[in-house]
Short mmCIF file of all heavy atoms in Angstrom, two decimals:
data_model
loop_
_atom_site.label_atom_id
_atom_site.label_comp_id
_atom_site.label_asym_id
_atom_site.label_seq_id
_atom_site.Cartn_x
_atom_site.Cartn_y
_atom_site.Cartn_z
N ASP D 7 -12.37 3.19 12.40
CA ASP D 7 -11.51 3.59 11.29
C ASP D 7 -10.14 2.95 11.56
O ASP D 7 -9.85 2.55 12.69
CB ASP D 7 -11.42 5.12 11.29
CG ASP D 7 -10.30 5.60 10.42
OD1 ASP D 7 -10.34 5.30 9.21
OD2 ASP D 7 -9.37 6.26 10.94
N LEU D 8 -9.28 2.86 10.56
CA LEU D 8 -7.96 2.24 10.78
C LEU D 8 -6.84 3.29 10.92
O LEU D 8 -6.35 3.52 12.00
CB LEU D 8 -7.65 1.24 9.65
CG LEU D 8 -8.54 -0.01 9.64
CD1 LEU D 8 -8.21 -0.91 8.46
CD2 LEU D 8 -8.36 -0.80 10.93
N ASP D 9 -6.45 3.93 9.79
CA ASP D 9 -5.33 4.88 9.84
C ASP D 9 -5.60 6.03 10.80
O ASP D 9 -6.58 6.75 10.64
CB ASP D 9 -5.07 5.48 8.45
CG ASP D 9 -4.32 4.53 7.54
OD1 ASP D 9 -3.27 4.03 7.95
OD2 ASP D 9 -4.82 4.29 6.42
N GLY D 10 -4.72 6.21 11.78
CA GLY D 10 -4.87 7.32 12.72
C GLY D 10 -5.79 7.01 13.89
O GLY D 10 -5.90 7.80 14.82
N THR D 11 -6.48 5.86 13.82
CA THR D 11 -7.40 5.46 14.89
C THR D 11 -6.90 4.17 15.57
O THR D 11 -6.80 4.10 16.80
CB THR D 11 -8.82 5.24 14.33
OG1 THR D 11 -9.27 6.47 13.77
CG2 THR D 11 -9.79 4.78 15.41
N VAL D 12 -6.57 3.16 14.75
CA VAL D 12 -6.08 1.88 15.28
C VAL D 12 -4.57 1.77 15.10
O VAL D 12 -3.87 1.23 15.95
CB VAL D 12 -6.81 0.70 14.59
CG1 VAL D 12 -6.22 -0.63 15.02
CG2 VAL D 12 -8.31 0.74 14.91
N TYR D 13 -4.08 2.28 13.98
CA TYR D 13 -2.62 2.32 13.76
C TYR D 13 -2.22 3.58 13.03
O TYR D 13 -3.05 4.27 12.44
CB TYR D 13 -2.11 1.08 13.03
CG TYR D 13 -2.83 0.69 11.75
CD1 TYR D 13 -2.90 1.53 10.64
CD2 TYR D 13 -3.42 -0.59 11.63
CE1 TYR D 13 -3.52 1.13 9.46
CE2 TYR D 13 -4.05 -0.99 10.46
CZ TYR D 13 -4.08 -0.14 9.37
OH TYR D 13 -4.70 -0.53 8.22
N VAL D 39 -13.70 -0.13 9.39
CA VAL D 39 -14.28 0.61 8.27
C VAL D 39 -13.23 1.59 7.75
O VAL D 39 -12.92 2.57 8.41
CB VAL D 39 -15.51 1.40 8.76
CG1 VAL D 39 -16.19 2.09 7.61
CG2 VAL D 39 -16.49 0.47 9.47
N THR D 40 -12.67 1.29 6.60
CA THR D 40 -11.57 2.13 6.11
C THR D 40 -11.81 2.66 4.71
O THR D 40 -12.37 1.97 3.86
CB THR D 40 -10.24 1.35 6.15
OG1 THR D 40 -9.20 2.20 5.62
CG2 THR D 40 -10.30 0.07 5.33
N ASN D 41 -11.34 3.89 4.51
CA ASN D 41 -11.38 4.48 3.17
C ASN D 41 -10.19 4.02 2.32
O ASN D 41 -10.12 4.36 1.16
CB ASN D 41 -11.36 6.02 3.26
CG ASN D 41 -12.76 6.60 3.44
OD1 ASN D 41 -13.75 5.86 3.47
ND2 ASN D 41 -12.85 7.90 3.54
N ASP D 146 -10.67 11.26 0.80
CA ASP D 146 -9.63 11.73 1.72
C ASP D 146 -8.56 12.51 0.96
O ASP D 146 -7.93 11.99 0.05
CB ASP D 146 -8.92 10.54 2.39
CG ASP D 146 -9.81 9.79 3.35
OD1 ASP D 146 -10.93 9.42 2.95
OD2 ASP D 146 -9.39 9.57 4.50
N ARG D 148 -5.82 13.71 2.45
CA ARG D 148 -4.51 13.32 2.98
C ARG D 148 -4.69 12.23 4.02
O ARG D 148 -5.79 12.01 4.51
CB ARG D 148 -3.83 14.53 3.62
CG ARG D 148 -4.65 15.12 4.76
CD ARG D 148 -4.02 16.37 5.31
NE ARG D 148 -4.64 16.74 6.58
CZ ARG D 148 -4.14 17.64 7.41
NH1 ARG D 148 -3.02 18.27 7.12
NH2 ARG D 148 -4.75 17.92 8.55
N PHE D 149 -3.59 11.54 4.32
CA PHE D 149 -3.63 10.57 5.42
C PHE D 149 -2.30 10.60 6.16
O PHE D 149 -1.28 10.98 5.59
CB PHE D 149 -3.98 9.16 4.92
CG PHE D 149 -3.02 8.58 3.92
CD1 PHE D 149 -1.90 7.88 4.34
CD2 PHE D 149 -3.24 8.74 2.56
CE1 PHE D 149 -1.02 7.35 3.42
CE2 PHE D 149 -2.34 8.21 1.63
CZ PHE D 149 -1.23 7.52 2.06
N PRO D 150 -2.30 10.22 7.45
CA PRO D 150 -1.07 10.32 8.23
C PRO D 150 -0.13 9.14 8.00
O PRO D 150 -0.57 8.03 7.77
CB PRO D 150 -1.57 10.32 9.68
CG PRO D 150 -2.88 9.61 9.63
CD PRO D 150 -3.44 9.78 8.25
N LYS D 179 -16.35 7.02 3.33
CA LYS D 179 -16.74 8.02 4.33
C LYS D 179 -16.38 9.41 3.82
O LYS D 179 -15.33 9.56 3.24
CB LYS D 179 -15.98 7.76 5.65
CG LYS D 179 -16.26 6.42 6.28
CD LYS D 179 -15.31 6.15 7.44
CE LYS D 179 -13.94 5.71 6.98
NZ LYS D 179 -13.05 5.29 8.08
N VAL D 202 -16.04 5.12 15.38
CA VAL D 202 -14.86 5.70 16.06
C VAL D 202 -13.83 6.11 15.02
O VAL D 202 -13.44 5.28 14.18
CB VAL D 202 -14.20 4.66 17.01
CG1 VAL D 202 -13.03 5.29 17.76
CG2 VAL D 202 -15.22 4.06 17.97
N GLY D 203 -13.39 7.37 15.06
CA GLY D 203 -12.39 7.79 14.08
C GLY D 203 -11.64 9.04 14.47
O GLY D 203 -12.02 9.76 15.39
N ASP D 204 -10.54 9.28 13.73
CA ASP D 204 -9.66 10.42 14.00
C ASP D 204 -9.94 11.59 13.07
O ASP D 204 -9.41 12.68 13.29
CB ASP D 204 -8.19 10.01 13.80
CG ASP D 204 -7.90 9.67 12.34
OD1 ASP D 204 -8.51 8.69 11.84
OD2 ASP D 204 -7.12 10.37 11.70
N ASN D 205 -10.73 11.35 12.02
CA ASN D 205 -10.93 12.38 11.00
C ASN D 205 -12.37 12.87 11.05
O ASN D 205 -13.29 12.12 10.73
CB ASN D 205 -10.60 11.77 9.63
CG ASN D 205 -10.60 12.80 8.51
OD1 ASN D 205 -11.32 13.80 8.56
ND2 ASN D 205 -9.81 12.56 7.49
N THR D 208 -14.38 12.83 7.64
CA THR D 208 -14.76 11.54 7.04
C THR D 208 -15.49 10.67 8.08
O THR D 208 -16.68 10.43 7.96
CB THR D 208 -13.53 10.79 6.49
OG1 THR D 208 -12.57 10.63 7.53
CG2 THR D 208 -12.91 11.54 5.33
N ASP D 209 -14.77 10.24 9.13
CA ASP D 209 -15.33 9.27 10.09
C ASP D 209 -16.53 9.82 10.85
O ASP D 209 -17.58 9.16 10.93
CB ASP D 209 -14.25 8.90 11.13
CG ASP D 209 -12.98 8.41 10.47
OD1 ASP D 209 -13.09 7.65 9.50
OD2 ASP D 209 -11.89 8.82 10.92
N GLY D 226 -4.97 11.28 15.34
CA GLY D 226 -4.69 11.27 13.90
C GLY D 226 -4.86 12.61 13.23
O GLY D 226 -4.27 13.60 13.66
N VAL D 227 -5.74 12.64 12.22
CA VAL D 227 -5.84 13.79 11.32
C VAL D 227 -6.38 15.07 11.97
O VAL D 227 -5.75 16.12 11.89
CB VAL D 227 -6.70 13.44 10.08
CG1 VAL D 227 -7.04 14.67 9.26
CG2 VAL D 227 -5.97 12.44 9.19
MG1 MG P 301 -8.24 7.80 9.93
#
Side-chain angles (χ1 to χ4, degrees):
D7 166 60
L8 292 177
D9 282 307
T11 299
V12 174
Y13 51 60
V39 184
T40 178
N41 274 359
D146 292 51
R148 60 185 193 167
F149 60 88
K179 299 171 281 186
V202 183
D204 66 297
N205 187 331
T208 56
D209 306 318
V227 169

